[in-house]
């Protein structure tokens, strides 16, 4: 850690006047982008930095600001920002005026560095970012030192553009919810009563979001809420939907039970439609929850030595019931010994189960095969099928959220399974790739390191 503190900073600047707050925010976003933070995290740390800079300018007259790239205690690279006040802090303590500032970064507090009292914040750099080698850090210092900050108007224009994009995203989500509401209104009166209650709760949530973004328009300090709105909104809506949808499924099962009063053929058909629609909606809710959890970075793999043989055996047993088409065979090959690797067994099982389920769903004749092969220090787990195949221009698009390959062979689904599977594989330190041609089937290959990420 001492070596890291001795490194020269990526960038240094002074905070003395009100205009410097805009410059600090702009430069903070530039440094965050340079070290590889995602766009939302760039906005978060820039917003937190501008708030802390404003507080220090008002309370002690300014500070000296420096940006650093350090290795944290979790062995991950962190972007660290130090603000050294030019005057003593009251009580050697600092509390931001806005309580939301601390939630924008991974850490925010006051530390002692020699004789100086330093306000320090940090944000973790994604594992997918370019490695920050000493050569890369030297290159970044040169680039940042040569770049010229824009004006306050440029920074305000950039903030307005970010706010408009966030509002468009919320508006799009609200439009999707409106379509969903119209479909649910076609159910019976009992469903309508449940949906009415849910609609009121959703409208209250929407009003809260609208009020929040109105405040964001007035106070640029709270822009981080815009970048977090998607995951929070999906998680909240999904949680609110799960209970009434589960109740719908239960009511449908009771109505169709042979012990209940017999239904007419038309009533039985309507009840079957209700149960089918509710089951599809519950699947969507669960996938939205999984996706929101993955996007928020709250999935932490539980690393352990995993034997692939029982994992493959469990998949063979649980998925055999899905291979109901007479012309389709599910083949799970026994992995070669020793078939062990360091990974998270539950997350790996979710990925393979999703790929096998997709193969069985889209394959009308032939086979769906799971095989494992070890090459040097990596395992390659491939799921191949003899289905319709995927055109080359669609290979990356199928990993986008809610995207489904167009065509006559498309069956039910939400378009969330493959994006979620790729996120899980990335968390496990591996890759998920597709090899496919039209009319020649598809092969999805999961490559994982033997020793784990």
């Amino acid at each position: 850690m001492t070596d890291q503190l001795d490194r020269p900073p990526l960038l240094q600047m002074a905070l003395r006047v009100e205009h410097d707050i805009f410059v600090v925010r702009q430069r903070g976003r530039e440094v965050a982008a340079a070290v590889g933070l995602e766009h939302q995290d760039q906005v978060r740390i820039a917003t937190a930095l501008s708030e802390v800079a404003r507080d220090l300018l008002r309370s002690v007259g300014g500070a000296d600001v420096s940006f650093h790239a350090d290795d944290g205690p979790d062995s991950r690279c962190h972007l660290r920002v130090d603000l050294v006040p030019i005057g003593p802090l009251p009580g050697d303590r600092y509390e931001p005026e806005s309580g939301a500032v601390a939630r924008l970064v991974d850490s925010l507090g006051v530390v002692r560095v020699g004789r100086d009292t330093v306000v320090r914040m940090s944000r973790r750099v994604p594992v997918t970012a370019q490695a920050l080698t000493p050569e890369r850090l030297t290159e970044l210092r040169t680039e940042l030192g040569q770049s010229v900050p824009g004006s306050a108007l440029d920074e305000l224009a950039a903030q307005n553009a970010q706010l408009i994009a966030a509002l468009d995203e919320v508006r799009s989500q609200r439009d999707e919810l409106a379509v969903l509401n119209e479909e649910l209104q076609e159910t019976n009166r009992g469903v309508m009563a449940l949906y009415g209650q849910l609609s009121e709760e959703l409208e209250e949530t929407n009003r809260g979001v609208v009020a929040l973004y109105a405040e964001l328009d007035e106070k640029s300090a709270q822009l981080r809420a815009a970048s977090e709105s998607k995951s929070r909104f999906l998680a909240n809506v999904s949680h609110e939907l799960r209970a009434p949808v589960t109740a719908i499924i239960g009511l449908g099962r009771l109505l169709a039970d042979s012990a209940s009063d017999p239904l007419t053929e038309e009533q039985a058909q309507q009840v079957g439609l209700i149960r089918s629609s509710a089951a599809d909606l519950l699947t969507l809710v669960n996938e939205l929850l999984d996706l929101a959890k993955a996007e928020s970075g709250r999935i932490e793999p539980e690393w352990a030595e995993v034997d692939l043989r029982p994992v493959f055996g469990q998949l063979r047993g649980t998925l055999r019931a899905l291979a109901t088409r007479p012309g389709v065979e599910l083949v799970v090959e026994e992995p070669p010994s020793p078939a062990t690797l360091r990974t998270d067994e539950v997350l790996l099982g979710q990925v393979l189960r999703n790929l096998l389920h997709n193969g069985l769903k889209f394959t009308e004749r032939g086979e769906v095969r799971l095989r494992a092969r070890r090459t040097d220090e990596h395992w390659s787990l491939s799921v191949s099928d003899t289905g319709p195949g995927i055109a080359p221009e669609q290979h990356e698009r199928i990993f986008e959220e809610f995207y489904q390959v167009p065509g006559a062979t498309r069956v039910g689904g939400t378009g969330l399974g493959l994006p979620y599977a790729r996120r899980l594989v990335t968390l496990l330190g591996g890759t998920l790739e597709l090899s496919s041609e039209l009319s020649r089937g598809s092969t999805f290959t999961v490559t994982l390191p033997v020793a784990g990420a």
Side-chain angles (χ1 to χ4, degrees), residues 287-366:
E287 291 184 349
L288 285 173
L289 283 171
D290 289 339
L291 187 62
K293 186 176 181 181
E295 287 184 340
S296 66
R298 296 176 182 174
I299 297 180
E300 293 293 339
E302 296 184 5
W303 301 101
E305 290 295 325
V306 176
D307 190 340
L308 291 176
R309 289 172 293 182
V311 174
F312 278 32
Q314 185 181 24
L315 291 171
R316 184 186 298 112
T318 56
L319 292 175
R320 184 168 295 166
L322 297 178
T324 57
R325 293 176 178 171
V328 179
E329 180 183 6
L330 173 63
V331 180
V332 180
E333 297 183 2
E334 194 70 13
S337 297
T340 59
L341 75 161
R342 183 171 178 79
T343 187
D344 186 308
E345 182 175 349
V346 174
L347 298 184
L348 178 59
Q350 286 182 323
V351 172
L352 297 179
R353 189 178 300 109
N354 178 277
L355 297 178
L356 288 169
H357 183 269
N358 281 351
L360 293 171
K361 182 167 59 174
F362 287 95
T363 302
E364 297 183 354
R365 63 179 61 87

Side-chain angles (χ1 to χ4, degrees), residues 186-203:
E186 297 176 0
T187 57
N188 59 24
R189 293 182 179 179
V191 177
M192 286 293 295
L194 292 173
Y195 174 72
Q197 179 182 357
L198 177 61
S199 295
E200 293 178 359
E201 296 175 356
L202 291 179
E203 289 174 1

Side-chain angles (χ1 to χ4, degrees), residues 216-238:
L216 290 176
D217 194 25
E218 299 173 358
K219 294 185 177 181
S220 61
Q222 300 181 18
L223 273 174
R224 76 147 189 104
S227 63
E228 293 178 339
S229 62
K230 177 183 175 183
S231 296
R232 185 175 64 252
F233 187 79
L234 288 177
N236 289 343
V237 171
S238 300

Side-chain angles (χ1 to χ4, degrees), residues 114-133:
R115 297 182 178 180
D116 294 328
T117 300
V118 179
V119 178
R120 175 173 294 174
M121 67 178 69
S122 68
R123 186 75 187 182
R124 188 165 51 185
V125 177
V127 295
T128 55
Q130 182 178 352
L132 296 176
T133 61

Side-chain angles (χ1 to χ4, degrees), residues 13 18 21 64 71 99 109 132 186 219 229 260 301 337 362 420:
M13 57 186 306
E18 192 77 19
I21 296 176
D64 294 320
D71 293 330
L132 296 176
E186 297 176 0
K219 294 185 177 181
S229 62
S260 302
S337 297
F362 287 95
Y420 180 60

Side-chain angles (χ1 to χ4, degrees), residues 128-149:
T128 55
Q130 182 178 352
L132 296 176
T133 61
E135 294 78 11
R136 175 60 178 163
L137 291 175
T138 301
E139 180 182 342
L140 291 180
R141 292 187 190 99
T142 303
E143 293 177 356
L144 293 170
Q146 294 175 349
S147 64
V148 179

Side-chain angles (χ1 to χ4, degrees), residues 8 21 31 37 46 79 106 111 142 175 194 205 226 256 263-264 312-313 320 327 350 376 389 403 406 412 451:
I21 296 176
V31 175
L37 264 65
L79 173 61
D106 295 330
V111 298
T142 303
D175 292 342
L194 292 173
T205 301
L263 303 176
T264 65
F312 278 32
R320 184 168 295 166
Q350 286 182 323
D376 297 329
Y403 182 78

